[in-house]
Amino acid sequence: MKSARSLMQYYRLLSRWPNRLQLPSQTCIRCASSQPKITTHYSIIPREGDERWKDIEMERYADEADVVIVGGGPAGMSCAIRLKQLAKENGKDIRVCLFEKAPELGGHTLSGACLEPRALQELFPDWKERGAPLKTPVKHDKFAILTKNWRIPVPVFRGFPIYNEGNYIVRLGNFVKWLGEQAEELEVEIYPGFACTEVLYHEDGSVKGIATNDVGIHKDGSPKETFERGMEFHAKVTIFSEGCHGALAKQLYQNDNLKLREGCEPQTYGIGIKEVWEIEESKWKPGYVEHTAGWPLNRNTYGGSFLYHLDEGEPLVAVGFVVGLDYSNPYLNPFKEFQRFKQHPKVRPTFEGGKRIAYGARALNEGGFQSIPKLAFPGGCLIGCSPGFMNVPKLKGTHTAMKSGMVAAEAIFSAITDENKTSETSGLYVPEYEENLKKSWLWKELQSVRNIRPSFHSFLGLYGGLLYTGLFYIFGRGKEPWTFKGHVADHKNLKPAAECTPIEYPKPDNEVSFDLLSSVALSGTNHDHDQPAHLTLRNDEVPVMRNLAVFDGPEQRFCPAGVYEYVPLEGGEEGEMRLQINAQNCVHCKTCDIKDPSQNINWVCPEGGGGPAYSGM
Amino acid sequence: MARVLVGVKRVVDYAVKIRVKPDKSGVVTDGVKHSMNPFDEIAVEEAIRLKEKKFASEVVAVTCGPTQNQETLRTALAMGADRGIHVEIPAADYPKVGPLHVSKILAKLAQKEEAGLIIVGKQAIDDDCNQTAQMTASFLDWPQGTFASELKLEGDKLTVVREIDGGLETIELKMPAVVSADLRLNEPRYATLPNIMKAKKKKVDKLSPSDLGVEIATNIEVLEVSDPPVRDAGMKVENTEELISKLKEAGLV
């Protein structure tokens, strides 16, 4: 074993250059522990040349559509609906196929949510008659700053980003389900339970379509008897609407030919953890909206809570906590911050005597205007939270996601039905989508709030941000001539554990706060256990060698589903650990892919149909 | 070659956490993820394998329930069933339906469709009744092979290996017969996308229970549904002596 001093030098080397995953040669053999193989997924261990796959038929059935949409959330649905509406109005027939990895629409949808009905009004002016589930108009809007024991109310006036008059508290999963019903009526072909795992390209490099996931692969990567190849769908335009930090979008950003992220800031994120509670009727205030900032987070960690009282017949509340993923302390545990928040003396009473009935988590965008990439490229378009149109201070991204889907649909419809349109590439390039979006209210809205989230990065932290919002948004209406840039990717913000203080979290009291595993059970998440883990590691050695050694394994803390666990290595030396990946628990939040300081984790879609079973989240 | 009738039930998905309704009249099913009863998936798979081996001429999937049951039927069709029969029961009446009604319906359909073999899952994961196969066989006066973990068809002789408490029992039945599928009978295939698209074109007939002369009336009334009692926390003891003293304290020894 090398001396302690050279080990320390080695670890410092690793912490400074996260991309240098090559271990220095003289150290490697002795320091590298006998880590068991973890990753078996074919995206890391290719099947070509693998003995076990040599006799397997790998040809795929292919079909064609005019437009293929990946992801059935508000953006994807709005795009599909608008396309079919235009087709009907103009007497044209176009085939629109939409793929959604959840087995039921809305099954993987999670959001607060306070919906601004602006885009819905444009899509369906008669949404009320159609029975859209917007049942709870916002009646009271409250904002407060929490300290350990106190709650300081801050009045909310018109002009504040968080002002909610005219908006509705919705259960977004139910809203997505309703959108799905409208889409089916318009004859959109919807295929739930199918994940798109591959982008297909024409020879000229333009996007040709997608392929759905293969099924029937054992956990060790070998084929089962029931192995079936996925199916290919070719389209004139493929729409990528996978939501925040999509898996295929990540592949597109890494495609050097498309250069989608040239000229924009890196995307930054937050993690949102949400629960739905059935509370005592006496405490129920339908239409009541409350947001807090401050405790339990310190002033340099962005985040806060939301509490929405629904008005759908039962005394239900949606409560959640967001933590900006640019936090620097690897000991921070977003799940435990959320549980701790509920124990605040002013927050606790709402939940006492109540029953928790749902739990879930999802990453959300915080980069805003500066992080929007190129939106149209040959053969494809990016819509919704995937490129990221969230209005962060307003805490709303659904109305902008829908609008982007609708604008894309309009541009694509014109392009597809224009007989005179010639395209340089086999996959259709529709730059009009991006041009039209820039002229729409979506662009103006995001521009006006572009500096608010970045203003939290000063020494004044939360208070600097609030001050900036007050001066430049409420009074200045976001028209200041400068734009804060210098977004840093979230994973680069983590400091080594040795430089940080562990945080003491209170134990769950099983009345208003709970442990992680019982929470994960409430998400209804499940995956067929006999498939390769979809949390793939580019290098199986890195978790113990770097993440654990330098950052004390932050993935065991930021994952809201208990997927990552460092356990003692069986047959290893005293204190030797290994990473255990409990892939079945995954709730598809994408936080690990975002926050892994080594960027070693690559989240890929598991077999379609797996994942959480959210109902009206 | 026999025509095979397979019964499929739409149940709350096995991974979902069940919640009791506040009025204790039942469990919450609205908006909750549903899927095909896992044992019925195995039944469908076995029927399709029989057809692929040319022992069966046609596989007909049957479901009894409200409109949403069509999804379950489509899954069976996507796996390879040839056509479907949806016995429509309005959502309001569905809670009254139990194995007695379903077995009457299956018996009538078997006669109507001239089926030679009925395969169902051994039990549904929501009610755990384990009664439908047995009652159906009784109504038809057909032999039954329940808890099947292996099936072999030769002419009109059906050999069934059954999983019983003591181990495995092999019996021989003369067709026509009723079989209920157990876990180890097979591993069901995936309903792939091309097959789901093909299944859209397969025929689904709609019937009502009265078309088959079956009345949905029940003599059973559910009084209350409640959560099981919360488990008391256990405690750790240091050694055997402490264990014995704790047991004595509790008056158990």
Side-chain angles (χ1 to χ4, degrees):
Chain A
M1 257 317 239
K2 283 276 180 166
S3 74
R5 190 162 170 278
S6 64
L7 265 177
M8 278 311 298
Q9 282 174 333
Y10 167 58
Y11 291 146
R12 266 197 230 114
L13 177 88
L14 280 182
S15 69
R16 249 184 260 136
W17 288 288
N19 294 319
R20 298 269 205 101
L21 298 178
Q22 317 281 61
L23 308 180
S25 54
Q26 55 277 46
T27 335
C28 74
I29 308 301
R30 271 182 259 146
C31 273
S33 49
S34 48
Q35 286 290 313
K37 198 161 78 117
I38 302 175
T39 303
T40 53
H41 196 270
Y42 60 80
S43 61
I44 306 282
I45 317 274
R47 289 177 289 197
E48 299 85 22
D50 186 331
E51 262 297 304
R52 305 168 298 182
W53 287 90
K54 74 178 161 96
D55 293 321
I56 305 290
E57 178 60 57
M58 294 298 269
E59 255 221 64
R60 278 190 290 223
Y61 197 86
D63 203 349
E64 298 228 358
D66 290 291
V67 180
V68 157
I69 301 179
V70 180
M77 283 297 172
S78 303
C79 187
I81 289 171
R82 193 79 195 101
L83 279 167
K84 281 298 207 176
Q85 281 177 340
L86 287 165
K88 213 166 153 190
E89 280 165 35
N90 292 286
K92 303 260 177 172
D93 193 19
I94 52 172
R95 186 176 183 202
V96 179
C97 293
L98 186 149
F99 297 96
E100 164 58 44
K101 62 175 165 52
E104 288 180 4
L105 294 177
H108 290 181
T109 303
L110 183 138
S111 184
C114 269
L115 179 71
E116 191 179 299
R118 191 169 188 180
L120 177 61
Q121 191 71 36
E122 288 177 20
L123 188 64
F124 287 118
D126 58 345
W127 58 262
K128 235 186 209 139
E129 290 80 38
R130 282 174 181 263
L134 273 64
K135 303 185 187 167
T136 312
V138 177
K139 297 214 182 90
H140 313 278
D141 226 332
K142 299 259 189 259
F143 182 70
I145 305 218
L146 293 182
T147 64
K148 185 145 187 253
N149 294 306
W150 303 105
R151 179 182 175 273
I152 305 161
V154 174
V156 178
F157 296 118
R158 194 185 295 268
F160 279 34
I162 209 84
Y163 188 67
N164 269 307
E165 190 184 311
N167 297 336
Y168 292 83
I169 305 173
V170 294
R171 299 180 71 172
L172 197 62
N174 290 345
F175 181 66
V176 168
K177 228 184 247 191
W178 174 82
L179 282 175
E181 287 162 17
Q182 310 311 304
E184 275 187 339
E185 245 177 67
L186 288 162
E187 294 179 359
V188 176
E189 285 177 56
I190 302 182
Y191 296 106
F194 287 96
C196 298
T197 48
E198 205 182 316
V199 182
L200 304 168
Y201 294 95
H202 287 287
E203 287 209 3
D204 61 14
S206 61
V207 171
K208 185 173 172 186
I210 49 90
T212 60
N213 58 281
D214 294 345
V215 289
I217 305 180
H218 281 297
K219 198 163 175 58
D220 65 4
S222 61
K224 289 185 191 171
E225 263 187 50
T226 46
F227 174 75
E228 293 264 3
R229 241 350 215 150
M231 191 171 158
E232 290 189 11
F233 258 87
H234 305 161
K236 301 190 178 113
V237 184
T238 306
I239 310 254
F240 294 90
S241 49
E242 297 165 290
C244 176
H245 204 78
L248 291 187
K250 185 176 175 183
Q251 286 182 25
L252 290 169
Y253 296 146
Q254 290 169 344
N255 182 331
D256 288 323
N257 295 326
L258 298 176
K259 298 194 179 53
L260 294 175
R261 293 210 76 95
E262 224 172 58
C264 71
E265 297 290 303
Q267 184 63 260
T268 58
Y269 303 88
I271 176 177
I273 308 181
K274 176 182 171 182
E275 291 173 356
V276 177
W277 280 72
E278 208 177 274
I279 57 172
E280 285 177 352
E281 263 202 70
S282 53
K283 301 179 182 168
W284 180 41
K285 300 177 265 198
Y288 179 88
V289 161
E290 180 171 327
H291 294 102
T292 71
W295 190 88
L297 300 174
N298 63 30
R299 73 161 190 275
N300 291 107
T301 306
Y302 182 83
S305 77
F306 65 83
L307 177 64
Y308 304 148
H309 288 238
L310 290 155
D311 190 5
E312 301 189 1
E314 298 175 89
L316 294 181
V317 299
V319 60
F321 203 77
V322 174
V323 178
L325 284 175
D326 56 347
Y327 69 81
S328 55
N329 185 344
Y331 291 108
L332 196 143
N333 186 321
F335 171 78
K336 290 194 175 160
E337 297 288 353
F338 178 30
Q339 300 304 315
R340 181 155 74 150
F341 154 76
K342 283 184 285 167
Q343 293 180 347
H344 188 279
K346 298 285 182 191
V347 176
R348 228 197 129 81
T350 309
F351 300 102
E352 276 164 351
K355 188 161 170 227
R356 187 174 70 151
I357 60 172
Y359 168 87
R362 184 73 170 90
L364 48 109
N365 299 303
E366 293 190 351
F369 187 74
Q370 296 90 318
S371 301
I372 300 176
K374 273 224 281 281
L375 299 170
F377 46 93
C381 292
L382 291 163
I383 64 172
C385 279
S386 183
F389 298 115
M390 171 114 171
N391 182 329
V392 182
K394 250 197 201 176
L395 264 193
K396 292 177 179 52
T398 310
H399 63 306
T400 47
M402 289 174 72
K403 180 65 174 168
S404 68
M406 289 153 65
V407 173
E410 285 157 6
I412 292 169
F413 184 77
S414 306
I416 295 183
T417 52
D418 182 357
E419 274 133 24
N420 299 321
K421 183 160 179 101
T422 50
S423 179
E424 274 177 21
T425 51
S426 300
L428 212 56
Y429 177 42
V430 189
E432 294 81 11
Y433 159 48
E434 197 160 350
E435 288 158 20
N436 294 347
L437 200 63
K438 290 188 175 156
K439 298 184 206 142
S440 72
W441 54 257
L442 180 152
W443 214 255
K444 288 194 201 53
E445 185 178 320
L446 292 181
Q447 242 175 335
S448 69
V449 296
R450 71 196 180 285
N451 287 325
I452 297 185
R453 176 67 177 89
S455 70
F456 282 74
H457 284 143
S458 75
F459 169 69
L460 295 169
L462 167 68
Y463 305 109
L466 292 173
L467 196 61
Y468 188 91
T469 309
L471 285 172
F472 292 103
Y473 183 74
I474 298 170
F475 294 112
R477 307 311 294 149
K479 292 196 168 57
E480 68 270 30
W482 57 82
T483 300
F484 291 147
K485 293 209 175 160
H487 287 34
V488 175
D490 292 322
H491 63 87
K492 293 193 181 149
N493 274 320
L494 217 51
K495 292 204 186 107
E499 294 172 29
C500 302
T501 341
I503 305 177
E504 271 272 341
Y505 288 103
K507 279 209 172 4
D509 61 12
N510 287 320
E511 211 195 303
V512 306
S513 60
F514 301 88
D515 66 294
L516 187 60
L517 290 181
S518 65
S519 310
V520 176
L522 270 184
S523 70
T525 193
N526 194 32
H527 299 84
D528 188 315
H529 74 285
D530 194 11
Q531 61 174 307
H534 64 281
L535 298 323
T536 65
L537 304 172
R538 287 188 224 276
N539 181 329
D540 281 352
E541 311 274 336
V542 166
V544 169
M545 299 261 84
R546 185 160 190 267
N547 287 22
L548 186 61
V550 179
F551 302 99
D552 198 41
E555 56 268 58
Q556 43 183 352
R557 296 192 186 88
F558 60 56
C559 173
V563 169
Y564 301 98
E565 259 187 297
Y566 282 98
V567 296
L569 178 62
E570 297 88 356
E573 290 171 22
E574 177 75 43
E576 240 190 310
M577 308 289 262
R578 67 172 177 88
L579 177 65
Q580 177 165 285
I581 297 184
N582 306 313
Q584 277 186 280
N585 290 5
C586 181
V587 291
H588 299 204
C589 75
K590 315 296 175 68
T591 303
C592 57
D593 197 300
I594 295 166
K595 191 62 174 169
D596 176 7
S598 311
Q599 288 292 280
N600 189 35
I601 300 173
N602 194 44
W603 189 99
V604 298
C605 270
E607 261 176 31
Y614 296 143
S615 172
M617 283 291 261
Chain B
M1 277 205 289
R3 175 174 287 132
V4 185
L5 213 64
V6 184
V8 296
K9 187 178 183 187
R10 180 175 178 264
V11 296
V12 174
D13 185 87
Y14 73 92
V16 166
K17 198 142 171 115
I18 306 285
R19 195 163 57 102
V20 176
K21 282 195 206 157
D23 63 2
K24 297 200 170 201
S25 62
V27 297
V28 177
T29 50
D30 270 338
V32 173
K33 179 176 167 192
H34 282 68
S35 41
M36 191 191 289
N37 183 33
F39 296 109
D40 296 345
E41 274 180 17
I42 297 174
V44 173
E45 174 65 25
E46 197 59 27
I48 296 168
R49 286 189 189 186
L50 285 175
K51 193 179 94 161
E52 285 172 348
K53 288 189 219 151
K54 307 254 196 284
F55 290 123
S57 58
E58 199 190 16
V59 176
V60 183
V62 181
T63 192
C64 305
T67 338
Q68 297 97 309
N69 278 47
Q70 293 216 30
E71 297 160 12
T72 321
L73 217 50
R74 290 284 162 208
T75 309
L77 293 171
M79 283 172 74
D82 297 294
R83 57 186 169 91
I85 299 178
H86 179 194
V87 181
E88 258 193 301
I89 298 171
D93 293 331
Y94 190 54
K96 292 190 231 154
V97 171
L100 186 61
H101 310 97
V102 176
S103 45
K104 281 185 186 165
I105 290 172
L106 286 179
K108 281 274 154 61
L109 278 174
Q111 288 165 336
K112 190 164 174 277
E113 298 285 336
E114 291 171 340
L117 179 62
I118 301 181
I119 315 182
V120 293
K122 71 169 178 180
Q123 65 197 56
I125 60 171
D126 53 4
D127 55 21
D128 281 340
C129 281
N130 182 4
Q131 297 165 2
T132 308
Q134 294 85 336
M135 287 193 200
T136 312
S138 176
F139 281 125
L140 289 165
D141 203 22
W142 286 6
Q144 53 181 273
T146 51
F147 313 111
S149 67
E150 220 184 289
L151 209 64
K152 231 184 348 206
L153 189 49
E154 270 158 354
D156 72 338
K157 235 175 29 191
L158 185 65
T159 313
V160 179
V161 177
R162 302 178 60 225
E163 296 206 15
I164 59 172
D165 287 343
L168 296 171
E169 180 192 57
T170 311
I171 57 173
E172 213 175 76
L173 309 171
K174 196 150 166 283
M175 299 277 275
V178 177
V179 170
S180 81
D182 206 326
L183 194 62
R184 277 160 279 269
L185 182 57
N186 59 50
E187 195 183 324
R189 68 195 60 192
Y190 293 88
T192 59
L193 191 50
N195 290 335
I196 290 192
M197 294 169 69
K198 281 191 211 143
K200 287 198 175 164
K201 306 197 181 90
K202 292 188 182 175
K203 195 157 93 103
V204 172
D205 289 314
K206 283 210 182 92
L207 294 169
S208 75
S210 50
D211 290 339
L212 299 166
V214 177
E215 206 193 313
I216 305 296
T218 178
N219 295 330
I220 303 172
E221 187 194 331
V222 173
L223 296 176
E224 186 191 286
V225 175
S226 54
D227 279 303
V230 177
R231 247 184 93 171
D232 280 332
M235 63 168 99
K236 271 190 163 153
V237 291
E238 288 299 304
N239 50 42
T240 341
E241 285 78 17
E242 203 185 332
L243 174 64
I244 297 181
S245 70
K246 293 269 183 215
L247 288 173
K248 282 199 176 142
E249 260 175 55
L252 295 167
V253 287

